[in-house]
Amino acid sequence: MNRAFTFKLLVVLSLLLGLTAAASAATLQAKVVEVRSGNAIIVSNINRPVSVRLKAIVPPEVGQPFNDVARDHLKALVLEKTVTVEYTHFADNYLEARVLLNGIDIGSQMLRDGVAWYNHALEYELNQADRDLYTQCEAAARAEKRGLWQDTAALAPWEYRRIQSEKLTTITNPISLQASSQPRKPKTRTGLSNDDVVKLVMGSTPSSSFMAGARPIAANGDAERWVKYTSPAGQFSVTLPSNAVEGSDTLPDPTTGGAVALNFVAGGSNAGFYVAMSAKGPNLSGTDESVRDQFIKSVIGGMNYGAAQDGHATVDLKPERAVNLSGYAGMQYRLSGAGVVGTARVFTKQVGDQRELFVVMTLSRPDSDDLSNQFIKSFAITR
């Protein structure tokens, strides 16, 4: 498993923050108090600001024509107005959502007015009716040459980012373009070092205190040396590579104003990636089954969002069988994608007015199933 893909897998940790958002069909009624870009707004909910991003709607990048027009157009549509936010999960500290004003999907309006693109790679949580609507709105704007479609060679924002990134790489690494007279000897790596894992985790979401607080579980940890890890606060234990990092945080629940307590541990190597976590927060309406399914779909959906952004293969999720552990009802899911397979188990239970949830998940090369099984089977709830 290469370094870039391991990085994308680590992004899942920041997406685990979406516990309560995934626990039900979540909807907010809120006033738009700021428009940051052509697809990002700030709404006021229970007198607190909440960042929202229009799902699958991508405005032109800074430096592209119509970037400012897209932001100004979104302002004209929603600023200082009360909207309905239908959201699914957190990604990059935003609620990924459809935003509706008087029943009108604002994302579809941005497409119809020719000031944004419909990114099919990010449509994974839209239903078919929404996908058809977005496709039709963009096609109509293109046919009428509205907005950015006045330019018949308009460049998609994700292509613009890729080209700019390649230019930056050329500038910062000019030596890479020079032919070398001596063939380079490839470096041999058997896994990620302790420092690698820490840097990857801390770099995945710099603005998140949850991630910034990640710390090694052992001195001089090594991907090949496995140890038993116990989280007293998270109330679970598991055996995993000693290069793993741990973290915890208490975060606000955007729907209830309550708090969600999170604890995680994650480690990996070139063979696989392993994560275990616990979460405890306000209990929203929903059965154990619906909470489990919505939560893991949000996690995998968010991970696929990050992978699609950089052109990596996405992962499919399929429920396999019911599992139970220490009185917690659970479900085992099979993960599969290009060159990777995995297993996830999600356990949950209502305890008083709280919802407790435990997740153990692995992704690895198909030939590394033994290590993945060892990790999954070692997981225990210790409360």
Side-chain angles (χ1 to χ4, degrees), residues 25-79:
T27 300
L28 296 177
Q29 296 286 334
K31 183 178 180 180
V32 179
V33 296
E34 181 182 346
V35 175
R36 288 185 171 177
S37 71
N39 69 345
I41 61 177
I42 306 297
V43 301
S44 178
N45 178 50
I46 318 178
N47 295 320
R48 293 182 298 106
V50 177
S51 300
V52 177
R53 184 164 55 193
L54 303 182
K55 189 186 299 294
I57 304 299
V58 184
E61 285 284 302
V62 174
Q64 284 190 286
F66 282 88
N67 171 265
D68 290 341
V69 173
R71 183 184 65 250
D72 292 342
H73 191 66
L74 186 56
K75 280 184 180 179
L77 290 174
V78 300
L79 186 61

Side-chain angles (χ1 to χ4, degrees), residues 135-255:
T135 299
Q136 292 164 10
C137 287
E138 185 179 71
R142 188 191 294 256
E144 297 170 9
K145 299 188 184 312
R146 287 195 175 195
L148 63 89
W149 299 114
Q150 296 172 37
D151 180 359
T152 56
L155 186 65
W158 47 92
E159 283 300 313
Y160 179 83
R161 285 196 302 268
R162 180 184 62 79
I163 292 171
Q164 296 303 308
S165 178
E166 289 177 354
K167 288 180 179 179
L168 182 61
T169 300
T170 300
I171 294 171
T172 56
N173 299 289
I175 195 170
S176 65
L177 302 179
Q178 302 175 5
S180 174
S181 58
Q182 298 293 329
R184 291 185 179 181
K185 182 178 180 180
K187 293 182 180 180
T188 301
R189 296 213 39 169
T190 58
L192 297 176
S193 68
N194 190 303
D195 286 344
D196 286 332
V197 174
V198 174
K199 290 175 182 176
L200 288 172
V201 172
M202 291 181 71
S204 61
T205 50
S207 62
S208 169
S209 62
F210 179 57
M211 300 304 295
R215 53 197 175 273
I217 66 168
N220 303 315
D222 186 272
E224 305 304 318
R225 177 169 59 88
W226 286 50
V227 297
K228 182 176 181 180
Y229 167 83
T230 300
S231 171
Q235 299 181 318
F236 67 85
S237 66
V238 70
T239 300
L240 78 169
S242 58
N243 70 344
V245 295
E246 63 177 352
S248 62
D249 205 349
T250 300
L251 301 167
D253 166 24
T255 56

Side-chain angles (χ1 to χ4, degrees), residues 108-148:
S108 71
Q109 190 67 54
M110 294 289 287
L111 294 171
R112 186 65 182 85
D113 294 337
V115 292
W117 295 70
Y118 174 26
N119 190 343
H120 292 268
L122 309 179
E123 66 179 10
Y124 54 89
E125 286 177 329
L126 292 174
N127 61 37
Q128 192 58 52
D130 294 330
R131 294 177 184 181
D132 291 343
L133 173 63
Y134 284 12
T135 299
Q136 292 164 10
C137 287
E138 185 179 71
R142 188 191 294 256
E144 297 170 9
K145 299 188 184 312
R146 287 195 175 195
L148 63 89

